[in-house]
Amino acid sequence: MKDHAIKQEIQLADQAINHQDFDAVAQSYSKDAVLVVRPGLLARGRNEIREAHKKISAYFNDSLEVSQGEMVIIEAGEVALVLAKTLIDSPKKTDSEYSRERDAIYVYAKDDDGKWLCTIDNSYGTELLKINI
Amino acid sequence: MKDHAIKQEIQLADQAINHQDFDAVAQSYSKDAVLVVRPGLLARGRNEIREAHKKISAYFNDSLEVSQGEMVIIEAGEVALVLAKTLIDSPKKTDSEYSRERDAIYVYAKDDDGKWLCTIDNSYGTELLKINI
């Protein structure tokens, strides 16, 4: 069976992140998208999100390898909730620990052409409830 | 400071659930909304959601008391992701155990009048990733 269109979009976005193609990364988000960079810090819109991804990549010494494990997609009309086991590896990030597995939450929305774009990207999932922001 | 409009809507929906006013509950959802009744079982649209809430209420011997604790709301244009510590009490539900605290995930969307409606209601949060559905 062919993967859900959103799963395909997420795979393409992960590839773009892993290849440091930040323009392609930014294009996978809607114009008014929000990225949770870290608890308490949001990036809004494609420009801020592109710059945030550059900084995240630099933090991981440009060796970030993102992929998704288990995924649950719940569609409701033009909007979808995605729960994903997000897997992170970074062979050159040796100076500090990082979380290798996250229960991420994404919200996708269809644009005018029917293409699914990420509109909320929260790789911290419900962990945000535990952190005073 | 006045609460976020979405927080107010959620409080009204909780009151409607607690008062068994299922028409008001249904009206707090968008027309194409999806409710995760339990892992693997979705209710779609206001009619199915109203009937699902009636059954949930009956399951709790019509003594369900839902409220929200900590809440994080991330808005992106016409859509918002809500993470909420959902608290459940049910004084007359004595025949079996139930989960009293959940990390719920809701997606809200603005309707044409600018009113926030629940479009995805997943009180199981990222737990769905752990359950084979």
Side-chain angles (χ1 to χ4, degrees), chain A residues 4-10 12-13 23-34 46 49 73 75 77-82 105-121, chain B residues 76 79 107:
Chain A
H4 192 293
I6 292 177
K7 193 170 181 180
Q8 294 179 48
E9 293 296 338
I10 293 174
L12 289 174
D23 286 331
V25 174
Q27 289 303 314
S28 69
Y29 291 87
S30 65
K31 287 179 185 167
D32 52 9
V34 172
R46 288 177 177 153
I49 289 173
I73 300 172
E75 263 188 77
E78 307 296 295
V79 178
L81 172 67
V82 181
I105 302 172
Y106 311 120
V107 177
Y108 271 70
K110 271 187 195 167
D111 73 0
D112 295 339
D113 302 325
K115 183 180 161 74
W116 288 103
L117 294 172
C118 185
T119 189
I120 300 173
D121 180 343
Chain B
V79 178
V107 178

Side-chain angles (χ1 to χ4, degrees), chain A residues 34 44 75 83 105 120 125, chain B residues 34 44 74-75 83 105 120 125:
Chain A
V34 172
R44 288 190 181 274
E75 263 188 77
L83 313 175
I105 302 172
I120 300 173
Chain B
V34 172
R44 286 190 182 275
I74 301 171
E75 264 187 76
L83 313 176
I105 303 172
I120 300 173

Side-chain angles (χ1 to χ4, degrees), chain B:
Chain B
M1 207 181 83
K2 209 175 158 189
D3 279 340
H4 193 293
I6 292 177
K7 193 170 181 181
Q8 295 179 46
E9 293 296 336
I10 293 175
Q11 283 170 342
L12 289 174
D14 284 346
Q15 285 171 24
I17 289 171
N18 298 346
H19 293 146
Q20 296 142 58
D21 180 353
F22 302 110
D23 286 331
V25 174
Q27 289 304 315
S28 70
Y29 290 88
S30 66
K31 286 179 186 168
D32 52 9
V34 172
L35 164 69
V36 181
V37 182
R38 60 170 188 266
L41 181 64
L42 302 179
R44 286 190 182 275
R46 287 177 177 153
N47 285 340
E48 281 187 28
I49 289 173
R50 183 193 299 106
E51 297 313 306
H53 272 291
K54 284 184 187 172
K55 286 181 186 167
I56 293 166
S57 181
Y59 175 81
F60 284 101
N61 299 320
D62 291 329
S63 70
L64 195 54
E65 292 170 15
V66 182
S67 61
Q68 314 292 323
E70 197 67 34
M71 198 179 284
V72 173
I73 299 172
I74 301 171
E75 264 187 76
E78 307 296 294
V79 178
L81 172 66
V82 181
L83 313 176
K85 188 68 77 178
T86 297
L87 310 170
I88 294 173
D89 196 11
S90 180
K92 295 187 188 164
K93 181 67 180 169
T94 53
D95 53 336
S96 69
E97 291 291 314
Y98 57 93
S99 169
R100 291 178 184 267
E101 199 177 298
R102 295 176 176 182
D103 288 346
I105 303 172
Y106 312 119
V107 178
Y108 271 70
K110 271 188 194 165
D111 72 1
D112 295 339
D113 301 324
K115 183 180 160 75
W116 288 103
L117 294 172
C118 185
T119 191
I120 300 173
D121 180 344
N122 168 27
S123 68
Y124 295 89
T126 52
E127 292 296 308
L128 293 185
L129 284 170
K130 295 175 192 160
I131 303 159
N132 193 11
I133 52 174

Side-chain angles (χ1 to χ4, degrees), chain A residues 4-5 19 30 32 37 47 54 64 77-78 81 90 100:
Chain A
H4 192 293
H19 294 146
S30 65
D32 52 9
V37 181
N47 285 340
K54 283 184 188 172
L64 195 53
E78 307 296 295
L81 172 67
S90 182
R100 291 178 184 267

Side-chain angles (χ1 to χ4, degrees), chain A residues 73-104:
Chain A
I73 300 172
I74 301 172
E75 263 188 77
E78 307 296 295
V79 178
L81 172 67
V82 181
L83 313 175
K85 189 67 79 179
T86 297
L87 311 170
I88 295 174
D89 196 11
S90 182
K92 294 186 188 165
K93 180 68 180 170
T94 53
D95 53 339
S96 68
E97 290 293 312
Y98 57 93
S99 170
R100 291 178 184 267
E101 199 176 299
R102 295 177 176 182
D103 288 345

